[in-house]
Amino acid sequence: MASALIGFFLMIVAVFIVIAVIFSFIPVGLWISALAAGVKVGIITLIGMRLRRVPPAKIVNPLIKADKAGLDLNVNQLEAHYLAGGNVDRVVDALIAAERADIPLPFERAAAIDLAGRDVLEAVQMSVNPKVIQTPMVAAVAKDGIEVKAIARVTVRANIDRLVGGAGEETILARVGEGVVTTVGSAESHKDVLENPDSMSQTVLNKGLDAGTAFEILSIDIADVDVGRNIGAQLQTDQAEADKRIAQAKAEERRAMAVAGEQEMKAKVQEMRAKVVEAEAEVPLALADALRQGKMGVMDYYQLQNLLADTQMRDSLSKVGPDNRGQGGREYVDEE
């Protein structure tokens, strides 16, 4: 009798365990919620989602929301988008917002925008409420060399048809900055830009800078404009300083070459003096050789000596000056 009771108790526990496992695997509560909302989702479909590792709540809840909003969506569309890595709930919210704003947005396009990495809900909201983006301080130089700084505010509206493959806000800001630089750079004077700041926004709008982007530019307003540095004068000053340094370098080069030439000439003079001394040292040897060979007599030698002595005397007399006057009334010049 006791063993029968124990077996019955174990059987009840096993039944409870099986039921708990089944209810944890099958989202019965979610299935009941779908039925209560009037959305037809079968138990087999929910089990299939579990087997495909798709959380049923991420599909059924957006499906209930879409059905209540009057959208014609099915489980397969939402599950396929989830398996592709998309955000099902955000796409459904975007579709509901587009439906309320009377913006034509099919599910396939919204899913493509979401898979492209863009926030499709924000894009729909931006289509209804345009967004204002502000450029950083843009500096440009007019033809008179004066720098002009400007900040522009760009009002843009999302273009749903160009969200896939269209450029983002960074491209819009870059193109607006380019337009500002072009307008200021083509002005004859910075005063022309200050007198008519709207010329910058008109130039940018006329260029159609929103082509190829995911936005449509509605307006461009110049929020701030200011005068910067005198770039023209600064460039001229820098050029003059550079020219001065070049001239100084060339002058220094010429001076160094002159010094080198002077040293070279002094070396040549010393070389020539050495040759003269060498030649004079060979004279006594030549005289001795001439005497030995009889080509020159003794009297010729003495006449040569007298000639040298007379030359030295004349040379000494020619160097007598007022500062070397002697006690006997004669003037002498010290030999170097």
Side-chain angles (χ1 to χ4, degrees):
M1 185 65 181
S3 60
L5 289 175
I6 293 174
F8 179 74
F9 179 74
L10 293 177
M11 184 179 65
I12 293 175
V13 171
V15 169
F16 273 107
I17 292 174
V18 171
I19 292 174
V21 171
I22 291 174
F23 276 91
S24 64
F25 188 76
I26 302 174
V28 178
L30 191 63
W31 176 68
I32 295 174
S33 298
L35 288 180
V39 178
K40 296 181 179 179
V41 180
I43 289 291
I44 302 301
T45 303
L46 297 177
I47 295 174
M49 290 182 188
R50 289 288 193 190
L51 296 175
R52 290 188 292 271
R53 297 182 181 276
V54 176
K58 290 184 176 295
I59 305 298
V60 175
N61 289 332
L63 184 62
I64 295 173
K65 189 165 47 179
D67 185 76
K68 291 301 180 183
L71 300 179
D72 185 17
L73 300 177
N74 56 53
V75 174
N76 291 331
Q77 288 177 313
L78 301 183
E79 189 176 355
H81 184 64
Y82 178 83
L83 292 174
N87 190 326
V88 176
D89 193 58
R90 186 167 56 192
V91 169
V92 171
D93 290 343
L95 292 174
I96 295 173
E99 178 71 18
R100 296 293 185 266
D102 197 18
I103 298 175
L105 180 62
F107 173 79
E108 289 75 13
R109 182 176 297 278
I113 294 172
D114 184 62
L115 293 177
R118 294 185 182 275
D119 191 336
V120 61
L121 178 59
E122 183 183 2
V124 173
Q125 293 172 347
M126 193 182 299
S127 297
V128 179
N129 298 319
K131 181 180 180 181
V132 178
I133 55 178
Q134 180 171 306
T135 65
M137 178 71 75
V138 179
V141 181
K143 290 184 178 180
D144 59 355
I146 304 299
E147 183 184 37
V148 177
K149 299 178 179 179
I151 296 177
R153 289 176 181 170
V154 187
T155 304
V156 297
R157 180 170 57 195
N159 191 327
I160 299 295
D161 296 333
R162 293 187 300 194
L163 277 178
V164 178
E169 294 182 8
E170 293 78 8
T171 302
I172 292 290
L173 295 177
R175 290 181 178 180
V176 172
E178 178 185 355
V180 172
V181 172
T182 302
T183 305
V184 176
S186 60
E188 293 294 335
S189 173
H190 69 286
K191 297 179 181 178
D192 299 338
V193 180
L194 296 178
E195 291 175 356
N196 188 18
D198 293 339
S199 60
M200 290 185 282
S201 58
Q202 291 298 327
T203 301
V204 175
L205 287 174
N206 294 334
K207 286 187 175 182
L209 298 184
D210 55 354
T213 66
F215 302 96
E216 178 184 357
I217 297 178
L218 300 179
S219 66
I220 298 176
D221 303 308
I222 304 301
D224 186 18
V225 60
D226 195 5
V227 178
R229 300 167 296 172
N230 190 339
I231 301 297
Q234 184 176 353
L235 291 177
Q236 292 178 359
T237 303
D238 295 342
Q239 183 63 43
E241 182 67 21
D243 294 341
K244 185 186 74 174
R245 291 181 179 178
I246 292 174
Q248 289 176 343
K250 290 183 177 179
E252 181 64 22
E253 182 182 3
R254 290 194 296 271
R255 190 193 68 80
M257 292 180 64
V259 172
E262 180 184 3
Q263 295 298 324
E264 185 178 358
M265 293 305 297
K266 286 183 179 179
K268 288 183 178 179
V269 169
Q270 294 297 329
E271 182 181 359
M272 295 304 295
R273 285 181 179 176
K275 290 182 179 179
V276 170
V277 172
E278 182 181 3
E280 289 178 352
E282 293 178 353
V283 171
L285 297 176
L287 292 175
D289 187 61
L291 288 173
R292 282 194 299 269
Q293 293 180 5
K295 295 180 180 180
M296 181 178 179
V298 176
M299 295 305 295
D300 296 331
Y301 175 75
Y302 282 115
Q303 288 180 359
L304 179 61
Q305 292 296 325
N306 290 333
L307 179 61
L308 292 175
D310 185 64
T311 301
Q312 292 177 354
M313 181 185 67
R314 292 176 183 274
D315 186 56
S316 298
L317 291 176
S318 64
K319 295 181 180 178
V320 174
D323 297 335
N324 297 298
R325 188 181 300 275
Q327 296 178 354
R330 299 180 60 181
E331 296 179 351
Y332 300 96
V333 178
D334 296 336
E335 294 183 356
E336 294 180 352

